[in-house]
Amino acid sequence: MSDSILKIISINADYVPAKAQQIQAKEFLSKIFKEDNIQFETHNEVEFIDAGENFENIYCNVCGTEIPANEWQDQMDEAFKSQFSNLKFQTSCKHRVSLNHLNYQPAVGFAKFVINISNVQLELNQNQISELEAVLKTSIKIIWAYY
C-alpha cells in the first residue's frame, strides 16, 4: 500500500527548533491532523528530504533553466561527501547556487529537522503555515512525498 506523507522543513537546512517550540508545534498540528500520524525527526547532519515517487524536474533558481538529472546527481554526490555541509555549486548555466535553493518540481529540500505527517487528506492553508512558522520561528517548506 502506498503512503502520502506531508513533510515540513525549515528553509534553513541547519535549523533545529528548541524542544519548547517542538512541543508547541506538535500541539498546533494535533488540532489539524491525527496526533498518531505526526512524527518529528532530528538528524545529526543535514539530510536530503525527498518527495519519493513524486520527484520530477529541477530548475536553476536564478534563470529557470532545467538542470539535467546527471548534473544534479553529480552535485549531490559531491555534497554528500561533506555530509551536505556545502551545498553550493556552479550550474551548467553558469550560476553559483545552492542545491537547497534550486526549484524542484515538486518541492524537496535539505534539513536536520523534519516533521512527517502520514496519511494526510488535506493541505495546510496559508494562515496555518504562517502560524506554524511563528511557532517554529523559521520559514518553512512543504514537501509532499509519495511512497
Side-chain angles (χ1 to χ4, degrees), residues 20-116:
Q21 294 165 317
Q22 292 182 35
I23 291 167
Q24 286 180 302
K26 180 94 172 211
E27 290 170 355
F28 174 77
L29 291 168
S30 294
K31 294 175 186 171
I32 304 166
F33 305 104
K34 290 181 183 176
E35 188 170 348
D36 292 347
N37 294 352
I38 304 168
Q39 177 190 9
F40 289 17
E41 292 179 9
T42 302
H43 305 282
N44 292 328
E45 303 294 335
V46 172
E47 294 198 5
F48 177 62
I49 310 304
D50 67 84
E53 296 173 21
N54 286 339
F55 193 77
E56 293 177 17
N57 298 312
I58 310 151
Y59 301 93
C60 175
N61 57 302
V62 176
C63 69
T65 299
E66 186 168 0
I67 306 291
N70 62 332
E71 176 185 345
W72 177 80
Q73 188 60 59
D74 289 346
Q75 296 307 319
M76 286 290 287
D77 291 344
E78 194 62 34
F80 181 76
K81 292 176 186 175
S82 68
Q83 297 176 308
F84 297 117
S85 65
N86 180 10
L87 298 172
K88 298 209 181 294
F89 75 104
Q90 184 165 319
T91 64
S92 55
C93 53
K94 306 297 182 212
H95 295 106
R96 186 115 180 108
V97 298
S98 167
L99 286 165
N100 199 30
H101 297 137
L102 294 173
N103 293 329
Y104 294 93
Q105 299 299 323
V108 298
F110 296 82
K112 283 186 177 181
F113 177 76
V114 185
I115 300 171
N116 293 304

